[in-house]
Amino acid sequence: MKTIEERLGLKIARQRKAVGLTQSQLAEKVRVQPITISRIETGARASSLDLIAHIAEILELELHELFRPLSQDKPKERAIERLLWFASRLTMAEVELVMDVGAAVLGHTRRAQSG
């Protein structure tokens, strides 16, 4: 079973990648050394709540989102969690566009599979 530090680090690493930052870029934004970010992401270092809150802000997360339980063994739930995060940052028009494109792609894929 992973420690809380490891689970927190995994979420930080996943979100950092989702927003397109390297460990060095995140470190620069929160004013720490890149090795600090590496240690946080691997669970090798426990960090202050202030630092975690600053990281969450840079990663466009509410602090509580970092502490929600993560389903390690259910890829679909992890994917849904990532989709929800992504969609929550879109405008209503962008959400509608994503839904339309997604429906078209799924319809095409299902027709191709059945034919």
Side-chain angles (χ1 to χ4, degrees):
M1 181 177 218
K2 292 187 186 239
T3 65
I4 191 165
E5 289 87 0
E6 290 170 329
R7 291 191 309 264
L8 181 62
L10 180 64
K11 281 192 164 191
I12 289 170
R14 182 176 290 135
Q15 184 63 21
R16 174 184 55 76
K17 292 171 188 171
V19 298
L21 293 175
T22 64
Q23 287 182 341
S24 294
Q25 290 168 326
L26 178 58
E28 183 178 325
K29 288 179 181 288
V30 295
R31 297 186 177 116
V32 296
Q33 294 296 315
I35 190 70
T36 301
I37 299 300
S38 176
R39 289 178 178 156
I40 290 170
E41 289 185 358
T42 60
R45 177 174 188 242
S47 297
S48 70
L49 191 53
D50 283 342
L51 179 56
I52 297 300
H54 195 183
I55 289 171
E57 181 181 335
I58 297 299
L59 297 179
E60 303 173 19
L61 288 172
E62 297 293 327
L63 186 57
H64 68 88
E65 292 178 278
L66 283 175
F67 292 97
R68 272 195 338 223
L70 178 64
S71 175
Q72 297 294 328
D73 57 345
K74 297 183 181 174
K76 185 175 180 178
E77 287 181 20
R78 286 196 316 262
I80 290 170
E81 182 177 306
R82 288 177 38 223
L83 278 171
L84 287 172
W85 172 85
F86 176 73
S88 71
R89 276 118 181 112
L90 300 175
T91 66
M92 194 59 213
E94 291 168 330
V95 169
E96 292 295 330
L97 177 62
V98 169
M99 295 296 293
D100 291 345
V101 170
V105 168
L106 285 175
H108 175 75
T109 302
R110 288 180 177 157
R111 283 190 301 276
Q113 289 174 344
S114 66

